[in-house]
Amino acid sequence: VLAVLAVLAVLAVAVRTSGQWRWQRTVRAVQAESLPTARRAGSLCASCVANFLWCDRSHSALRRSAQFSMEPATLHVPSPSHPTLASALAACASSPNATVVLAAGVYRADATLRLGHGASLVGAGPSTVVESVAHTTLVCDGAARVADLALRQLGDGDARPAAALEVRAGALVVERCTLGARSRAKAAAAVVARGGGAAPRLVGCTVAESGHAGVVLAGGARATLEQTEVGGCAACGVLA
């Protein structure tokens, strides 16, 4: 019995230290042969073998859990977990590379929404509308992608500049979106990119109904417009 327990102890150390699970078949074979002997010898030995079996299974469960946790999260709005767009965007802070999927509908933002590093925001097409009144609708800071929705800033005052979309860092990809800002302030625009680290790419978008400019590039920001229409702006289409 002591020899059997010694073999099990050596194998347990090998599994823990190497991180390789090629030992499992051998361990299970030894366990199957030694379990009747351990049971005859007494309950203590049987308990040791049972604990080793439990350890093997628990490590496998942890390994599967770690694998699933590495997959990017998909957050649906509205849903029981995330009834509002703001709650889903806040959850992205703890979910790297998460994607927020918006159902069709109009989402009014009472404060500026923020899409963080690596996150994406995807709608259901033109019927998904995110809008604000007196402030910038969406700020992206290192975000990955915004697609298939309309972003609107509705306030037409000139007290302070506002935008439908503001990009502060990263190569954000904006696909098949409609963007407009009615603010008449001097630096207002449907799309504003600020800083040398901001380089948005607009693909298949429409920039229109802007009280000042369509696209403003400030502080060394760059932008790429592909198959994108810019029009209906009170001032210039692109201001750099």
Short mmCIF file of all heavy atoms in Angstrom, two decimals, residues 167-171 192-200 215-224 239-240:
data_model
loop_
_atom_site.label_atom_id
_atom_site.label_comp_id
_atom_site.label_asym_id
_atom_site.label_seq_id
_atom_site.Cartn_x
_atom_site.Cartn_y
_atom_site.Cartn_z
N VAL A 167 -12.98 60.62 -31.70
CA VAL A 167 -11.95 59.59 -31.60
C VAL A 167 -10.72 60.22 -30.99
O VAL A 167 -10.16 61.18 -31.53
CB VAL A 167 -11.62 59.00 -32.99
CG1 VAL A 167 -10.58 57.89 -32.86
CG2 VAL A 167 -12.88 58.47 -33.66
N ARG A 168 -10.27 59.66 -29.86
CA ARG A 168 -9.13 60.23 -29.14
C ARG A 168 -7.86 59.42 -29.30
O ARG A 168 -6.77 59.92 -29.04
CB ARG A 168 -9.48 60.38 -27.66
CG ARG A 168 -10.60 61.37 -27.42
CD ARG A 168 -10.91 61.52 -25.94
NE ARG A 168 -11.96 62.50 -25.72
CZ ARG A 168 -12.49 62.77 -24.53
NH1 ARG A 168 -12.04 62.11 -23.45
NH2 ARG A 168 -13.44 63.67 -24.41
N ALA A 169 -7.99 58.16 -29.68
CA ALA A 169 -6.79 57.32 -29.86
C ALA A 169 -7.19 56.08 -30.63
O ALA A 169 -8.34 55.62 -30.57
CB ALA A 169 -6.18 56.92 -28.51
N GLY A 170 -6.23 55.54 -31.38
CA GLY A 170 -6.45 54.27 -32.06
C GLY A 170 -6.96 54.39 -33.48
O GLY A 170 -7.43 55.43 -33.92
N ALA A 171 -6.85 53.26 -34.18
CA ALA A 171 -7.29 53.18 -35.58
C ALA A 171 -8.71 52.62 -35.64
O ALA A 171 -8.94 51.52 -36.15
CB ALA A 171 -6.32 52.32 -36.39
N VAL A 192 -15.01 63.99 -35.00
CA VAL A 192 -13.84 64.73 -34.55
C VAL A 192 -12.77 63.72 -34.13
O VAL A 192 -13.04 62.81 -33.35
CB VAL A 192 -14.17 65.65 -33.36
CG1 VAL A 192 -12.90 66.32 -32.84
CG2 VAL A 192 -15.18 66.71 -33.78
N ALA A 193 -11.56 63.90 -34.66
CA ALA A 193 -10.42 63.08 -34.26
C ALA A 193 -9.37 64.00 -33.65
O ALA A 193 -9.01 65.02 -34.26
CB ALA A 193 -9.85 62.32 -35.45
N ARG A 194 -8.90 63.64 -32.45
CA ARG A 194 -7.97 64.51 -31.74
C ARG A 194 -6.68 63.76 -31.39
O ARG A 194 -6.74 62.65 -30.88
CB ARG A 194 -8.59 65.02 -30.43
CG ARG A 194 -9.88 65.80 -30.61
CD ARG A 194 -10.38 66.32 -29.26
NE ARG A 194 -11.67 66.95 -29.38
CZ ARG A 194 -11.87 68.20 -29.76
NH1 ARG A 194 -10.82 68.95 -30.07
NH2 ARG A 194 -13.09 68.70 -29.84
N GLY A 195 -5.55 64.41 -31.66
CA GLY A 195 -4.26 63.86 -31.23
C GLY A 195 -3.60 62.99 -32.29
O GLY A 195 -4.26 62.40 -33.15
N GLY A 196 -2.27 62.91 -32.20
CA GLY A 196 -1.52 62.15 -33.19
C GLY A 196 -1.79 60.67 -33.17
O GLY A 196 -1.50 59.96 -34.14
N GLY A 197 -2.34 60.15 -32.08
CA GLY A 197 -2.64 58.73 -32.00
C GLY A 197 -4.00 58.34 -32.55
O GLY A 197 -4.36 57.16 -32.56
N ALA A 198 -4.77 59.33 -33.01
CA ALA A 198 -6.11 59.06 -33.54
C ALA A 198 -6.06 58.96 -35.06
O ALA A 198 -5.60 59.88 -35.74
CB ALA A 198 -7.07 60.16 -33.12
N ALA A 199 -6.53 57.83 -35.58
CA ALA A 199 -6.51 57.61 -37.03
C ALA A 199 -7.73 56.78 -37.44
O ALA A 199 -7.60 55.62 -37.83
CB ALA A 199 -5.22 56.92 -37.45
N PRO A 200 -8.93 57.37 -37.35
CA PRO A 200 -10.13 56.60 -37.71
C PRO A 200 -10.20 56.31 -39.20
O PRO A 200 -9.65 57.05 -40.02
CB PRO A 200 -11.27 57.52 -37.27
CG PRO A 200 -10.68 58.90 -37.33
CD PRO A 200 -9.25 58.73 -36.92
N VAL A 215 -16.06 66.52 -40.91
CA VAL A 215 -14.97 65.81 -40.22
C VAL A 215 -13.93 66.84 -39.82
O VAL A 215 -13.47 67.63 -40.65
CB VAL A 215 -14.33 64.74 -41.12
CG1 VAL A 215 -13.19 64.04 -40.40
CG2 VAL A 215 -15.38 63.72 -41.57
N VAL A 216 -13.53 66.83 -38.53
CA VAL A 216 -12.49 67.72 -38.04
C VAL A 216 -11.32 66.88 -37.54
O VAL A 216 -11.50 65.97 -36.72
CB VAL A 216 -13.01 68.63 -36.90
CG1 VAL A 216 -11.86 69.35 -36.22
CG2 VAL A 216 -14.00 69.64 -37.46
N LEU A 217 -10.11 67.21 -38.02
CA LEU A 217 -8.88 66.54 -37.58
C LEU A 217 -8.05 67.55 -36.82
O LEU A 217 -7.64 68.57 -37.38
CB LEU A 217 -8.11 65.99 -38.78
CG LEU A 217 -8.89 65.07 -39.73
CD1 LEU A 217 -8.02 64.66 -40.91
CD2 LEU A 217 -9.38 63.84 -38.98
N ALA A 218 -7.79 67.28 -35.54
CA ALA A 218 -7.09 68.24 -34.70
C ALA A 218 -5.88 67.58 -34.03
O ALA A 218 -5.89 66.38 -33.74
CB ALA A 218 -8.04 68.79 -33.62
N GLY A 219 -4.84 68.38 -33.79
CA GLY A 219 -3.69 67.90 -33.05
C GLY A 219 -2.91 66.79 -33.72
O GLY A 219 -2.36 65.92 -33.04
N GLY A 220 -2.85 66.79 -35.03
CA GLY A 220 -2.08 65.78 -35.75
C GLY A 220 -2.84 64.49 -36.05
O GLY A 220 -2.25 63.51 -36.49
N ALA A 221 -4.14 64.48 -35.81
CA ALA A 221 -4.95 63.29 -36.12
C ALA A 221 -5.04 63.08 -37.62
O ALA A 221 -4.93 64.02 -38.41
CB ALA A 221 -6.33 63.44 -35.51
N ARG A 222 -5.26 61.83 -38.01
CA ARG A 222 -5.41 61.47 -39.41
C ARG A 222 -6.72 60.70 -39.58
O ARG A 222 -7.26 60.14 -38.62
CB ARG A 222 -4.24 60.60 -39.89
CG ARG A 222 -2.89 61.17 -39.57
CD ARG A 222 -1.76 60.25 -39.99
NE ARG A 222 -1.90 58.90 -39.45
CZ ARG A 222 -1.54 58.55 -38.21
NH1 ARG A 222 -1.06 59.46 -37.38
NH2 ARG A 222 -1.66 57.31 -37.80
N ALA A 223 -7.21 60.66 -40.81
CA ALA A 223 -8.43 59.91 -41.09
C ALA A 223 -8.38 59.38 -42.51
O ALA A 223 -7.80 60.01 -43.41
CB ALA A 223 -9.67 60.77 -40.89
N THR A 224 -8.99 58.22 -42.70
CA THR A 224 -9.12 57.62 -44.03
C THR A 224 -10.60 57.46 -44.33
O THR A 224 -11.34 56.89 -43.52
CB THR A 224 -8.44 56.25 -44.08
OG1 THR A 224 -7.05 56.40 -43.75
CG2 THR A 224 -8.56 55.64 -45.47
N LEU A 239 -12.14 69.40 -42.21
CA LEU A 239 -11.33 70.49 -41.69
C LEU A 239 -10.15 69.90 -40.94
O LEU A 239 -10.33 69.16 -39.98
CB LEU A 239 -12.16 71.37 -40.75
CG LEU A 239 -11.44 72.56 -40.10
CD1 LEU A 239 -10.91 73.52 -41.15
CD2 LEU A 239 -12.36 73.27 -39.12
N ALA A 240 -8.92 70.22 -41.42
CA ALA A 240 -7.72 69.68 -40.80
C ALA A 240 -6.80 70.81 -40.36
O ALA A 240 -6.83 71.89 -40.90
CB ALA A 240 -7.00 68.76 -41.78
#
